[in-house]
Amino acid sequence: MTGAPQDFTSDFSIEQNWPDYTGEEHAIWRLLFERQQRLLVDRACQEFLDGLDALGVAADGIPDFHRLSDLLDAATGWRIVAVPGLVPDDVFFAYLARRRFPSTCFIRRRDQLDYLQEPDVFHDICGHVPLLMNPVFADYMQAYGEGGLKALGLGHLQHLARLYWYTVEFGLIATQQGLRIYGSGILSSAGESVYCLEDPRPNRIRFDLRRVMRTRYRIDDFQQTYFVIDDFQQLFDATRPDFEPMYREIAAQPDIEPDVLIQSDRKFEPSCFPGPADCGQKNGLQLDRSPSLGRKRLEDVRQHHNQ
Ligand SMILES: [Fe+2]
């Protein structure tokens, strides 16, 4: 995989060329996967763990996109499209709207295990793809793509980008067993997988669509606020209405800083959190405050729109 760059077509698709991965690249996947597996067993939502299992994504190496796509397609009609890296917004949204997930192929180097600026195959496949096996989440992602195309035309991509950030990348979900992770940016980050659930510092508040769209976010550190959904149906239902009137309403209101609570917030109060002394000590993990891995292409959105 370290050979000459491939030409890509107008839709930025390339071939994964799975046989070309080296033993070292598969070994790095194994390292990352085994570390996250230990951390996520009691922290990731069950839908994610079920998807991982059903897809056969495991420690044995970087998966073949064709094999994963056939399983995904049979379950929810999604397929994976290999892309060389970040793709333009309109291309990205068009893929989602057609139930295609653009995934990078390269894997980070061994000296980049804890921080990488761009998403790699571990973030995209291990973080994003398992939830596409869930029918409701799969529909939400398609609807997001359709909404993205519309937001582009309306000039409100900044607001819609925040929805992606605080759900698809950094979302938490309330379950019978307690708070769990479903956001891919967290699921592919060892440090934030622990921090988001067990550190007392960040805000954890109930999902509210307008609130999310008004909230700025940080790309250079762990999140200061996480939004908690009850289930994926709530997420899908909340985002079903036409956003155009909402965009106008939100545009007239001030943005909310990432660490700020407002009066209407409903805080999620779990029965208890481990104290700071415990945070990051489980599984022998020392918290690393590097930003989460695989910041999605929405960083570009942020830069373009002066988030
Ligand atoms: Fe991502």
Side-chain angles (χ1 to χ4, degrees):
M1 289 301 289
T2 50
Q6 301 176 55
D7 290 332
F8 46 82
T9 58
S10 57
D11 65 0
F12 290 80
S13 64
I14 59 172
E15 278 298 317
Q16 184 192 16
N17 291 330
W18 186 82
D20 290 351
Y21 284 113
T22 65
E24 169 67 359
E25 287 168 326
H26 285 301
I28 292 170
W29 171 280
R30 190 154 46 248
L31 263 178
L32 289 165
F33 188 91
E34 287 176 344
R35 180 171 70 169
Q36 281 308 94
Q37 187 78 348
R38 286 193 297 275
L39 288 170
L40 294 181
V41 64
D42 291 322
R43 293 185 174 93
C45 67
Q46 194 57 47
E47 292 89 341
F48 172 83
L49 297 173
D50 289 346
L52 208 58
D53 192 45
L55 287 167
V57 174
D60 52 2
I62 299 168
D64 181 340
F65 291 180
H66 292 298
R67 184 185 68 77
L68 291 188
S69 288
D70 289 344
L71 292 166
L72 261 182
D73 202 352
T76 58
W78 277 78
R79 297 193 71 83
I80 299 163
V81 177
V83 293
L86 303 176
V87 297
D89 294 327
D90 57 335
V91 175
F92 179 70
F93 292 135
Y95 271 133
L96 298 188
R98 291 188 294 118
R99 294 174 98 86
R100 297 289 182 271
F101 186 77
S103 172
T104 46
C105 303
F106 79 97
I107 194 157
R108 68 200 70 176
R109 298 190 313 265
R110 199 174 279 268
D111 62 352
Q112 297 172 314
L113 290 186
D114 291 315
Y115 180 60
L116 191 67
Q117 277 196 318
E118 290 199 8
D120 70 344
V121 67
F122 182 74
H123 170 80
D124 281 337
I125 297 300
C126 202
H128 282 284
V129 169
L131 277 178
L132 294 174
M133 291 289 276
N134 178 272
V136 180
F137 193 83
D139 287 348
Y140 172 69
M141 286 290 278
Q142 180 184 12
Y144 186 88
E146 291 165 350
L149 291 171
K150 190 170 179 187
L152 271 176
L154 294 171
H156 283 281
L157 198 53
Q158 178 191 41
H159 295 121
L160 197 70
R162 292 169 180 172
L163 176 62
Y164 192 93
W165 189 264
Y166 282 117
T167 61
V168 177
E169 294 290 354
F170 292 94
L172 298 180
I173 184 168
T175 76
Q176 297 278 341
Q177 292 73 40
L179 203 53
R180 293 289 185 271
I181 305 162
Y182 74 91
S184 313
I186 309 173
L187 290 166
S188 56
S189 162
E192 195 151 0
S193 294
V194 176
Y195 169 87
C196 73
L197 296 180
E198 294 160 35
D199 194 290
R201 285 169 291 183
N203 302 318
R204 299 169 184 87
I205 60 180
R206 296 283 184 177
F207 177 82
D208 177 282
L209 180 60
R210 286 173 174 76
R211 166 68 155 100
V212 168
M213 288 195 180
R214 289 178 58 198
T215 308
R216 295 171 182 261
Y217 54 79
R218 296 190 63 161
I219 64 166
D220 58 346
D221 202 347
F222 294 161
Q223 300 304 298
Q224 292 167 296
T225 294
Y226 297 95
F227 291 92
V228 181
I229 61 170
D230 294 325
D231 52 39
F232 294 133
Q233 193 64 50
Q234 178 204 15
L235 190 56
F236 184 69
D237 291 345
T239 54
R240 195 194 303 256
D242 181 7
F243 281 7
E244 192 170 352
M246 202 182 314
Y247 287 146
R248 284 198 297 272
E249 176 192 325
I250 290 167
Q253 297 176 319
D255 286 345
I256 301 169
E257 294 303 317
D259 60 334
V260 167
L261 286 171
I262 61 172
Q263 195 171 14
S264 58
D265 285 342
R266 292 182 302 137
K267 289 185 77 173
F268 180 86
E269 302 284 6
S271 53
C272 64
F273 281 114
D278 296 329
C279 185
Q281 300 304 311
K282 287 186 178 179
N283 304 298
L285 180 79
Q286 296 297 319
L287 269 188
D288 173 1
R289 290 196 63 84
S290 300
S292 293
L293 304 170
R295 296 307 191 194
K296 197 57 183 174
R297 34 165 301 298
L298 292 170
E299 284 184 28
D300 277 3
V301 174
R302 188 196 68 82
Q303 287 158 6
H304 292 154
H305 294 266
N306 193 24
Q307 158 81 18

